[in-house]
Amino acid sequence: MTALQYLREIDGIGRDPVRGGHSRHLLDDADRALRDWFTTTAKNLGLDVEQDRNANLWAWWHPADGPVYPAVVTGSHLDSVPGGGALDGPLGVVSALDAVARLKADGHVLERSLAVVVFAEEEGARFGIACLGSRLLTGVTPPETALALTDSAGHRLRDVLAENGVDPAGIGPDQDRLARIGLILELHVEQGRQLAPRDEPIGLATTILAHGRWKLTITGRGDHAGSTELDSRRDPVVAAADTIKAVRRAAVEAPAAAKARATVGRINVTPGGTNAIASRVELWLDARAEKDHDVRDLVAAVTGAAERAATDEGCAVTVHEESFSTRVAFDAALTERLDGVLGGVPRIPTGAGHDAGVLAEFVPSAMLFVRNPEGVSHAPAETASPEDIERGVVALTACLAELA
Ligand code: HGY
Ligand code: MN
Ligand code: MN
C-alpha cells in the first residue's frame, strides 16, 4: 500500500458532518479506530507495536540480530483539530509506513533500530495541551499537570487513559525510551505557503515560532436581555468583544521582527441563551512570535486590554497560561545531512508546532515538509497533490536509508 492508499483507507474515520473535515481527538472513537488501524497496518509490515506509558504508539523495526540503539524515529500524529484537514499528522504517519515498506522491499539492511511513532494529543484539541504525548515523554509537561486535565464534557484525562490501557499513575518522563532515540525526522504537510511560490515540492524545516495558549475567563452578571437597563449591565460578552479586537491589535502593533500572530478561535458563553445576558465568557488565546519574549510581550498587552475591557464593563477577568513552547531551532547538522541526501531543497521556518519541535530540545531533530498548494491547514481545505505526496515518501525513504 502507498501513503496515498493509506490516506484513502482511513479517510472515512472521524469525518465531521457539521464542521466538515475530520475531528479525531485523543482516544475518542475516531482516534481509537485510527490507533487500531495503525497497529494492524504496522504489524502487517512486520513491525513490533507497543503503547508507551504516555499513550504514544511505537512501531519498531530492528536489525536482524536484534535492537540497536540509539534508534532513528520517524512518524507524526493521527489526532486533529476540530474539523481539520486529512493530512496534518496522518501524512507523516502513512508516509513513514510506506517508506518502511519500500526499504524492506528494497532489502535495506538496518544498521540501527527504526521506529514509526504516533504521538498522542498533538493538537491538544481534547485536553487543551498541544503535543501532550511528547511533552509527557520528555518531562516538558509534568504528569500532575496532565492528570488534572478534563475535556469540555468533563471527562478526566486520567479516566480516559485508564479506560484505554494506560495507567494514570505511570504517565510521565520516560528517560529509558528517550535514551533509545538517536534522532527524529518528522514528515508533515506544509502549513503556510512557502514551497508553492518556489515551485518546490519538498522543504526542510529551520525553526518553529515560540507559541503558547492562554485561557481568559471573564465574569459578569447574568440577567434578562429585556428587563435589564443598559447602564446596569455587567456583560462579559461585551468585554470579550473588546478583548478580541485587542488581540488582533496587539499582533499588528508588535514589532515587525516579532512576526507576531495572535488568535482567538474558541469561545464559550455561559449560559448561552439568546435572551439572557451571559454570566461568564471563556476564550482561548493562541499567541505566537519569533522569540519567547515577543510572545510574552504580546500576552502582556492582551492581558492589559482585557483588564481594561473588564473594568469598563464592571466585569472581572483571569488569565491562565495553559501551555508554552519555546522557539525551536532544528538540528543544523542533521538538516545539512538530509539536504545532502535530497540534493538541495528549500529551508523554511514554520509557525506551527510539532512533536519533533518538542523532541528538538532532547535529541537531534529535523522535519520534512510536503508542498501545500494553498497553504491552508487546520481546515478541511488542507491539501497536497498525489504527486507531491509520492515525492514526500521518496524523500523520506532516501533519508531513512541514509540514517538507519
Ligand atoms: O497548533 C499547532 O501549531 C500544531 O498544529 N499543533
Ligand atoms: Mn496541527
Ligand atoms: Mn501536525
Side-chain angles (χ1 to χ4, degrees):
M1 294 269 281
T2 64
L4 204 54
Q5 290 168 323
Y6 284 141
L7 286 171
R8 289 185 183 127
E9 200 171 54
I10 62 174
D11 189 59
I13 299 173
R15 278 215 156 269
D16 189 324
V18 175
R19 298 182 179 97
H22 291 86
S23 293
R24 300 156 163 175
H25 308 316
L26 180 65
L27 296 170
D28 67 5
D29 291 346
D31 187 45
R32 282 208 302 268
L34 286 171
R35 294 162 78 92
D36 291 346
W37 170 84
F38 173 79
T39 301
T40 303
T41 306
K43 283 181 177 170
N44 290 342
L45 288 173
L47 306 182
D48 303 324
V49 185
E50 57 168 341
Q51 177 172 258
D52 71 13
R53 67 176 65 162
N54 296 304
N56 304 306
L57 297 176
W58 300 76
W60 290 96
W61 177 21
H62 296 298
D65 297 340
V68 175
Y69 299 117
V72 171
V73 175
T74 186
S76 188
H77 61 97
L78 290 171
D79 66 304
S80 74
V81 295
L87 302 175
D88 176 352
L91 183 64
V93 174
V94 299
S95 299
L97 291 172
D98 189 350
V100 163
R102 294 185 193 198
L103 289 172
K104 281 178 169 247
D106 292 350
H108 179 77
V109 178
L110 279 183
E111 290 173 10
R112 52 163 82 182
S113 295
L114 189 154
V116 177
V117 63
V118 173
F119 285 110
E121 184 74 332
E122 191 277 346
E123 296 295 358
R126 183 172 181 184
F127 290 99
I129 295 181
C131 299
L132 184 61
S134 54
R135 285 164 159 266
L136 284 170
L137 164 68
T138 55
V140 168
T141 293
E144 53 274 13
T145 302
L147 291 172
L149 297 174
T150 59
D151 67 12
S152 54
H155 298 119
R156 302 188 308 172
L157 173 64
R158 62 168 57 246
D159 299 331
V160 171
L161 291 175
E163 288 153 18
N164 289 278
V166 178
D167 175 6
I171 70 171
D174 194 339
Q175 296 308 333
D176 290 348
R177 186 173 297 273
L178 210 48
R180 279 186 269 153
I181 302 173
L183 62 90
I184 182 166
L185 173 58
E186 179 175 358
L187 179 145
H188 205 282
V189 63
E190 179 187 14
Q191 296 166 303
R193 193 169 183 278
Q194 300 177 76
L195 292 175
R198 292 177 167 94
D199 194 21
E200 290 274 358
I202 303 294
L204 280 162
T206 52
T207 58
I208 297 177
L209 291 178
H211 61 284
R213 299 180 182 188
W214 286 260
K215 179 181 178 183
L216 283 75
T217 304
I218 305 175
T219 49
R221 188 187 63 220
D223 210 330
H224 193 294
S227 57
T228 311
E229 299 301 334
L230 291 180
D231 59 4
S232 68
R233 293 183 177 211
R234 290 165 45 204
D235 185 344
V237 172
V238 171
D242 289 345
T243 299
I244 292 167
K245 290 292 281 185
V247 164
R248 172 59 68 87
R249 198 167 48 248
V252 168
E253 291 171 357
K259 298 179 187 165
R261 47 208 77 175
T263 312
V264 174
R266 181 183 168 204
I267 304 173
N268 285 343
V269 177
T270 300
T274 302
N275 55 355
I277 300 170
S279 56
R280 183 177 74 247
V281 172
E282 296 162 311
L283 58 95
W284 282 264
L285 168 66
D286 177 310
R288 309 194 187 205
E290 193 56 33
K291 298 276 176 37
D292 295 9
H293 69 78
D294 293 324
V295 176
R296 298 289 180 196
D297 294 347
L298 194 155
V299 174
V302 170
T303 300
E307 286 165 348
R308 286 188 298 276
T311 303
D312 290 351
E313 186 61 27
C315 294
V317 63
T318 61
V319 181
H320 168 66
E321 179 174 306
E322 290 197 332
S323 65
F324 183 78
S325 302
T326 188
R327 180 179 185 273
V328 169
F330 285 102
D331 187 274
L334 176 57
T335 302
E336 208 53 50
R337 185 176 173 196
L338 298 178
D339 200 26
V341 172
L342 300 173
V345 297
R347 310 283 183 89
I348 55 177
T350 180
H354 299 281
D355 295 299
V358 174
L359 270 290
E361 223 179 303
F362 302 89
V363 298
S365 178
M367 288 193 73
L368 279 174
F369 290 129
V370 174
R371 174 169 48 192
N372 178 339
E374 303 308 320
V376 172
S377 186
H378 284 188
E382 180 184 76
T383 59
S385 72
E387 297 75 18
D388 283 351
I389 289 173
E390 171 61 21
R391 291 184 181 111
V393 176
V394 169
L396 181 62
T397 305
C399 290
L400 295 177
E402 159 74 15
L403 297 169

